[in-house]
Amino acid sequence: MSSSLPSTPSEALAEVKTETVAATKATVSSFRDLAAGGVGGVCAVIVGHPFDLVKVRLQTSERGVYSGAVDVVRKTVAREGLARGLYAGVSAPLVGVTPMFAVSFWGYGVGKNLVSAFSPSHSPSSPSHPPTFTIPQLATAGFFSAIPMTLITAPFERVKVLLQIQGQKSLAPGEKPRYAGGLDVVRQLYAQGGIKSVFRGSAMTLARDGPGSAAYFATYEYVKRLMTPVDAHGIKSEELSLTAVMTAGGAAGVAMWIPVFPVDTVKSRLQSAEGRPTIGGTVGGLWRSGGVRAFFPGIGPAMARAVPANAATFLGVEVAHMVMNKTLG
């Protein structure tokens, strides 16, 4: 055991210095992940919110209210106007999505560190040789990212869904909407059922985002590796074109939604329902209303949103990292 200890004070000091530098780099890297994730999140909202609104209204409306995605857009614009209608409820995701995506990408970075720490065969990283993870390891890190993210995602999506669906109701002359904005939604929910009401749907949010994030990050890294240029010696370049980033991001968005869309439908129903709905009751009600098909309303807008919104997300993240690397070193 003594052989593993520093033999001289100078060696001990050098070891402490090395560990301090490593810890500082890890902290700086985490902050950069947070910042880049926030930038990516804002890009995702700006590009994807109209698609998300159409998806939610299809998921939460009664059968026959809309004939399809185009009908939602037509009726929404006619009733509420173009910008106000298609961006109804955008305040909640704009405020919430920055910390949500920031925490997601931070959690993904932490997840990779944990995977590296618990993988004995994993080589330590260095500036010239960053760690290379297998696709299953990346999926594991992606799943982990959803755990802290749920604490932010669940209440903000509860607010967003309620703001998005209230626009479906035709108001009588002089009648005001039930909710005046995101903060008013939180205030009313808390008054009605406390913190539990605000966080309704958290279990289904994690059930959606856990496997969804695993597929999301693993697919992005896989496609990005496929599209990374290789030089004459067969060594992959560190540079990646923004077109490749957007392609990988779009593929990641599609891969995320395909396996978890039915879970998202249940979550939206839970978060928009009056009273105290249960997961089992919500699932049963959906099944009785239309069988398997009832779990996939709005999948068209979701898939249409997945490509541009997630391409914008990863573009924002990668550009933010590029800017920080150039300006901060």
Side-chain angles (χ1 to χ4, degrees), residues 158-303:
R158 171 93 152 116
V159 172
K160 182 195 72 174
V161 165
L162 290 175
L163 286 174
Q164 285 178 330
I165 66 171
Q166 79 169 353
Q168 298 178 112
K169 179 184 177 183
S170 298
L171 300 176
E175 183 183 2
K176 293 183 178 181
R178 179 174 180 178
Y179 302 112
L183 291 177
D184 189 44
V185 176
V186 174
R187 182 184 61 79
Q188 291 192 40
L189 290 177
Y190 187 80
Q192 294 165 6
I195 197 70
K196 187 175 181 180
S197 178
V198 177
F199 277 82
R200 181 198 290 178
S202 294
M204 295 307 295
T205 300
L206 181 58
R208 178 198 67 182
D209 290 347
S213 294
Y216 187 61
F217 286 108
T219 300
Y220 176 74
E221 295 289 352
Y222 177 73
V223 175
K224 189 171 75 169
R225 289 177 185 179
L226 288 179
M227 300 187 71
T228 301
V230 179
D231 63 19
H233 302 286
I235 300 175
K236 289 194 173 184
S237 170
E238 293 296 322
E239 298 295 328
L240 185 67
S241 73
L242 296 184
T243 301
V245 169
M246 295 174 69
T247 301
V254 173
M256 175 186 71
W257 275 113
I258 289 175
V260 299
F261 195 85
V263 180
D264 184 65
T265 299
V266 175
K267 179 198 74 70
S268 293
R269 286 281 182 147
L270 270 174
Q271 292 183 320
S272 63
E274 298 286 346
R276 297 185 177 182
T278 63
I279 294 174
T282 303
V283 171
L286 282 167
W287 180 261
R288 288 190 295 273
S289 69
V292 173
R293 190 174 181 180
F295 291 88
F296 291 89
I299 192 169
M303 292 296 103

Side-chain angles (χ1 to χ4, degrees), residues 4-6 10-20:
S4 64
L5 296 174
S10 61
E11 289 182 356
L13 184 61
E15 184 175 328
V16 170
K17 185 177 179 180
T18 300
E19 291 179 354
T20 302

Side-chain angles (χ1 to χ4, degrees), residues 134-166:
T134 65
I135 297 304
Q137 286 175 328
L138 292 170
T140 301
F143 189 99
F144 177 85
S145 73
I147 297 174
M149 187 176 70
T150 297
L151 296 174
I152 299 173
T153 306
F156 274 103
E157 291 211 351
R158 171 93 152 116
V159 172
K160 182 195 72 174
V161 165
L162 290 175
L163 286 174
Q164 285 178 330
I165 66 171
Q166 79 169 353

